[in-house]
């Protein structure tokens, strides 16, 4: 029998990654309400917003209003995405606990997503990492397309190791192994994690899986078997990737929590409260949660 971690820490990316591509504006008060409900459910890490140009991501134009409107709880880490030094400097007024930079293991995806090469993206992030760490702000690196790319197809583990090495080299403290388009299978995910472990300690690696092909929970289990105990997910399965055609949302936090609790792994999360948080934002968006667990529980409640 595989030995799993005794506890798992989840980062809910719903308020940022989940909502950023919504076509209709989501008011700051709804985003704040979602963050409050997530922390009440027991989430200790929440990716709240991003400091990017509103021209490119209009949904995140209210970043300051959202961050300043949150009633912070002790012991909860609030992170924001900062793609460049300008974004980082804009975030300082909101006192983020952690800033997130991002790079792709695929050259083609890097060009399509942020209009520069992988190496150029690292040069862009280096001053952000240096400035943040000088202020005592934690830095996380999101590694996209670690198993597959919508433009290049399969991504070799060597490309993942290359990106991880570059991020480590500029001072990034922990990284996410992200299956951005949801094409990963357990073996491919394990190889991507192994490649990352060439540069980062196990405690500093997290899994971020999309469910396009229905493999996200299987991939979570595969990473757990390697000892990975940090994962990212999105309440109600919110989100997708605007540069990855056909990619469905992040794996639902509710489904991951149900899996973990079924394995006897402690998350510190109240599943019923988490389902309520997902229902809250889904009701505003006018659709049902993209979570099988949430759907089953809500149907049962309705009788």
């Amino acid at each position: 029998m595989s030995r799993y971690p005794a506890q798992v820490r989840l980062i809910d990316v719903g308020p940022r990654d989940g909502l950023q591509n919504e076509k209709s504006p989501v008011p700051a008060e709804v985003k704040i309400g979602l963050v409050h409900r997530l922390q009440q459910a027991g989430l200790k890490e929440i990716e709240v917003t991003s400091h990017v140009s509103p021209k490119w991501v209009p949904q995140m134009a209210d970043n300051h209003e959202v961050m300043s409107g949150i009633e912070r709880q002790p012991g909860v880490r609030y992170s924001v995405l900062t793609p460049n030094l300008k974004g980082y400097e804009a975030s300082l007024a909101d006192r983020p606990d952690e800033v997130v930079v991002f790079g792709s293991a695929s050259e083609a995806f890097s060009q399509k997503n942020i209009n520069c090469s992988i190496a150029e993206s690292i040069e862009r992030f280096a001053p952000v990492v240096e400035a943040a760490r000088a202020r005592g702000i934690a830095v996380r690196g999101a590694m996209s397309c670690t198993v597959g790319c919508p433009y290049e197809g399969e991504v070799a583990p060597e490309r993942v190791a290359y990106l991880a090495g570059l991020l480590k080299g500029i001072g990034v403290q922990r990284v996410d192994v992200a299956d951005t388009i949801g094409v990963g299978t357990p073996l491919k995910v394990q190889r991507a994690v192994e490649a990352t472990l060439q540069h980062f300690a196990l405690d500093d690696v997290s899994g971020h899986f999309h469910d396009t092909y229905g493999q996200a929970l299987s991939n979570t289990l595969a990473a757990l078997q390697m000892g990975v105990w940090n994962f990212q997910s999105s309440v109600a399965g919110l989100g997708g990737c605007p540069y990855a055609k056909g990619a469905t949302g992040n794996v639902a936090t509710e489904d991951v929590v149900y899996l973990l609790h079924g394995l006897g792994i402690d998350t510190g999360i109240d599943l019923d409260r988490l389902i309520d948080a997902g229902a809250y934002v889904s009701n505003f968006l006018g659709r049902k949660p993209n979570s099988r667990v949430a759907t089953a529980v809500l149907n049962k409640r309705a009788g």
Side-chain angles (χ1 to χ4, degrees):
M1 181 178 175
S2 298
R3 292 188 63 184
Y4 298 115
Q7 62 180 26
V8 158
R9 178 174 57 198
L10 292 180
I11 305 171
D12 197 291
V13 301
R16 199 282 300 177
D17 191 12
L19 293 177
Q20 69 176 358
N21 299 319
E22 289 292 328
K23 298 293 186 286
S24 300
V26 178
E29 63 196 54
V30 173
K31 296 172 183 172
I32 293 167
L34 177 58
V35 172
H36 286 167
R37 284 164 174 79
L38 289 172
Q39 62 189 22
Q40 287 162 8
L43 268 299
K44 296 301 182 185
E45 294 205 41
I46 303 171
E47 193 171 285
V48 180
T49 189
S50 61
H51 287 267
V52 296
S53 169
K55 175 184 174 184
W56 297 112
V57 189
Q59 192 65 257
M60 297 288 112
D62 57 2
N63 43 42
H64 176 66
E65 186 180 355
V66 173
M67 284 293 285
S68 59
I70 294 168
E71 292 183 17
R72 297 195 180 198
Q73 284 189 355
V76 177
R77 176 179 282 196
Y78 304 91
S79 60
V80 300
L81 192 76
T82 54
N84 51 41
L85 197 57
K86 183 179 180 180
Y88 164 74
E89 289 169 349
S91 77
L92 292 178
D94 298 326
R95 300 177 295 111
D97 299 310
E98 180 178 61
V99 296
V100 184
V101 296
F102 53 90
S104 173
S106 157
E107 284 288 358
F109 191 84
S110 183
Q111 290 287 356
K112 292 278 188 178
N113 194 14
I114 52 177
N115 204 30
C116 66
S117 69
I118 295 171
E120 287 169 341
S121 73
I122 297 300
E123 289 178 14
R124 187 182 296 175
F125 298 140
V128 176
V129 178
E130 183 180 7
R133 294 201 59 180
R135 277 181 170 260
I137 300 172
V139 183
R140 175 159 54 87
M143 303 198 303
S144 62
C145 294
T146 60
V147 293
C149 167
Y151 311 108
E152 291 183 10
E154 195 161 327
V155 174
E158 291 77 17
R159 303 304 301 165
V160 180
Y162 169 69
L163 176 60
L166 291 176
L167 290 169
K168 186 71 171 180
I170 61 171
V172 169
Q173 293 163 292
R174 59 177 183 157
V175 289
D176 318 325
V177 178
D179 179 14
T180 308
I181 59 173
V183 296
T185 53
L187 184 58
K188 290 178 181 178
V189 163
Q190 288 181 335
R191 286 173 176 164
V193 171
E194 284 170 355
T196 306
L197 291 173
Q198 294 176 28
H199 300 282
F200 286 89
L202 186 63
D203 289 350
D204 299 324
V205 175
S206 65
H208 181 141
F209 307 126
H210 284 230
D211 208 30
T212 312
Y213 284 80
Q215 297 296 297
L217 291 179
S218 298
N219 293 337
T220 300
L221 197 63
L224 283 168
Q225 289 168 348
M226 299 179 72
V228 174
W229 60 281
N230 295 293
F231 292 92
Q232 293 171 359
S233 54
S234 179
V235 67
L238 295 172
C241 179
Y243 299 96
K245 188 176 180 180
T248 54
N250 300 288
V251 66
T253 307
E254 298 94 321
D255 295 354
V256 176
V257 169
Y258 186 81
L259 169 70
L260 295 172
H261 288 181
L263 292 169
I265 297 173
D266 177 35
T267 64
I269 295 171
D270 182 320
L271 182 57
D272 282 323
R273 283 193 165 193
L274 179 64
I275 290 169
D276 291 340
Y280 162 79
V281 68
S282 297
N283 287 339
F284 174 81
L285 296 172
R287 58 177 182 258
K288 294 180 179 179
N290 188 19
S291 158
R292 290 187 177 183
V293 169
T295 299
V297 171
L298 292 170
N299 286 343
K300 190 175 180 180
R301 286 182 188 174

